[in-house]
Amino acid sequence: MKVSTTLYALGLALVVLLIILTWNALSAFSPPQGLVRRLNGHSLWVTSLAWSPDGEWIASASDDRTVLVGEAATGTRITKLDSFRGSVLSVAWSPDSKYLATASTVISDGVQIWDAANWQAIHQLNSDPRYLVGSLSWSPDGKLLAIGTGDLEVWDVEEEKLAAKLTTYSGANSVAWSPVGKQIAFGSALDPYRGDKGVVRIWDYTEGNEHTTENDVTTLTGHSGDLHSVAWSPDGKQLASGSDDNTVKIWDLASRQSTATLTGHKSQVVSVAWSPDSKKIASGSWDRTARVWDVATGQSIATFEHPDFVTSVAWSPDSKYLATGDHSTLGVVRIWEVK
């Protein structure tokens, strides 16, 4: 009887232990707070994200030499573009969501324009072969494409010809076309020869000024590291910038001054995006987090943890959701609800 009671107690203890272990295992794999869905399919890390302006699709570029396009609402894959010879560094939707621009690390790929009706490449823009293309941005009317390379190039998409070129001293790490005009913002790296720290530069684009230099642009100074990303406010009056100095800055274009410095990231900020409702800024960092900031207060209102450093952030058109990509080898795009 005593042996039987002992065995019963041991059995009960094992059952309780099994329940505890199972609960802990399930808790460890439970979705992080705010995570709505995952979009899978890449075999290497995500390098760039773009949410279509009509809200239907999310395009993701990857080091696995592919671009995936999925339904934002369901995560269902629409197409896989896999004709690239190198890692794809950037994707950008046209304002009407009819075309997707892509750029890879192989010069012969060029910057390709894909028709979203049938996913055929209909244009190829062959930028300066000396430099990689790291950033793309469409003009508000969808006729021109700004390309960030060693210099800043503006291309007529339909004609497949260079419309203008800004010669830069320290590259165009990120390009962003103003939503309300012809200004193009871009970030620059540190330039030890000129004594520059990372700066935001703003170019007033006019057709035909192929030989303009950085001496003719507006310069915003204040960061102490390389500039990795710039984003316009929807009204075109402010800019956000992310830097190696672990901060996000907000700039007022009228005064050319920084109005706020958003601190909290523990490593460099490589991606920033201004929400379409103008109220929030998202930032992705090598500290393995994406943060959402309240523009009015400058406070962080949400932090989304990732398994590796965050490479790209993109807002849904209604400002309710944020898509993020990171450097994990799973190549997952995550969609988060922002309250």
Side-chain angles (χ1 to χ4, degrees):
M1 186 70 175
K2 188 174 182 179
V3 173
S4 177
T5 303
T6 302
L7 290 175
Y8 175 79
L10 287 174
L12 183 61
L14 288 173
V15 170
V16 172
L17 179 61
L18 182 61
I19 292 173
I20 293 173
L21 291 174
T22 302
W23 175 262
N24 289 339
L26 290 174
S27 299
F29 289 100
S30 62
Q33 185 175 3
L35 183 64
V36 176
R37 67 180 55 86
R38 294 178 173 90
L39 280 65
N40 301 305
H42 287 299
S43 59
L44 289 172
W45 49 88
V46 175
T47 57
S48 179
L49 286 174
W51 203 310
S52 64
D54 63 9
E56 295 295 322
W57 301 319
I58 294 176
S60 57
S62 172
D63 201 53
D64 66 6
R65 304 183 182 184
T66 71
V67 170
L68 298 181
V69 180
E71 288 184 348
T74 65
T76 302
R77 185 192 298 177
I78 299 299
T79 191
K80 179 179 182 179
L81 309 178
D82 57 3
S83 60
F84 303 98
R85 297 176 180 86
S87 303
V88 188
L89 297 181
S90 185
V91 287
W93 289 100
S94 62
D96 59 8
S97 302
K98 292 182 178 179
Y99 306 101
L100 183 70
T102 63
S104 86
T105 56
V106 174
I107 303 302
S108 59
D109 282 339
V111 173
Q112 297 184 64
I113 310 299
W114 303 80
D115 188 334
N118 55 22
W119 295 112
Q120 298 298 309
I122 58 173
H123 297 294
Q124 180 167 320
L125 314 179
N126 296 312
S127 61
D128 192 327
R130 295 176 298 169
Y131 308 109
L132 292 178
V133 175
S135 184
L136 303 168
S137 183
W138 291 83
S139 62
D141 62 8
K143 295 180 179 180
L144 303 171
L145 187 70
I147 298 176
T149 65
D151 295 318
L152 174 56
E153 300 178 354
V154 175
W155 284 75
D156 183 308
V157 175
E158 185 69 27
E159 298 293 328
E160 297 186 3
K161 70 177 183 179
L162 184 67
K165 182 177 181 179
L166 174 68
T167 302
T168 69
Y169 299 109
S170 48
N173 288 356
S174 172
V175 296
W177 207 304
S178 170
V180 296
K182 291 188 174 181
Q183 290 183 315
I184 304 171
F186 64 98
S188 287
L190 297 170
D191 187 345
Y193 298 102
R194 301 179 66 203
D196 283 347
K197 295 179 180 179
V199 298
V200 178
R201 291 190 165 94
I202 303 168
W203 181 32
D204 288 310
Y205 162 76
T206 54
E207 191 172 352
N209 55 353
E210 290 89 349
H211 303 293
T212 307
T213 69
E214 282 184 5
N215 295 324
D216 303 310
V217 303
T218 299
T219 300
L220 308 178
T221 61
H223 280 294
S224 59
D226 288 358
L227 262 292
H228 290 290
S229 185
V230 293
W232 290 90
S233 62
D235 62 7
K237 295 180 179 180
Q238 298 181 89
L239 274 169
S241 57
S243 167
D244 267 356
D245 63 14
N246 304 351
T247 70
V248 176
K249 283 186 177 292
I250 300 176
W251 306 87
D252 175 69
L253 272 296
S255 66
R256 301 185 182 182
Q257 298 296 315
S258 173
T259 59
T261 299
L262 311 181
T263 60
H265 281 299
K266 298 178 181 179
S267 188
Q268 57 187 294
V269 178
V270 297
S271 182
V272 293
W274 208 300
S275 67
D277 65 5
S278 303
K279 297 178 180 180
K280 300 176 285 291
I281 292 171
S283 57
S285 170
W286 279 22
D287 66 5
R288 301 187 179 191
T289 70
R291 285 180 177 259
V292 178
W293 309 84
D294 183 278
V295 172
T297 65
Q299 299 299 308
S300 176
I301 58 175
T303 301
F304 302 127
E305 302 284 343
H306 291 71
D308 211 323
F309 59 76
V310 179
T311 55
S312 188
V313 294
W315 286 99
S316 63
D318 60 9
S319 302
K320 294 181 179 179
Y321 301 96
L322 184 72
T324 62
D326 63 41
H327 200 263
S328 59
T329 55
L330 295 176
V332 178
V333 175
R334 292 171 173 82
I335 299 178
W336 309 83
E337 184 178 15
V338 180
K339 297 181 179 180

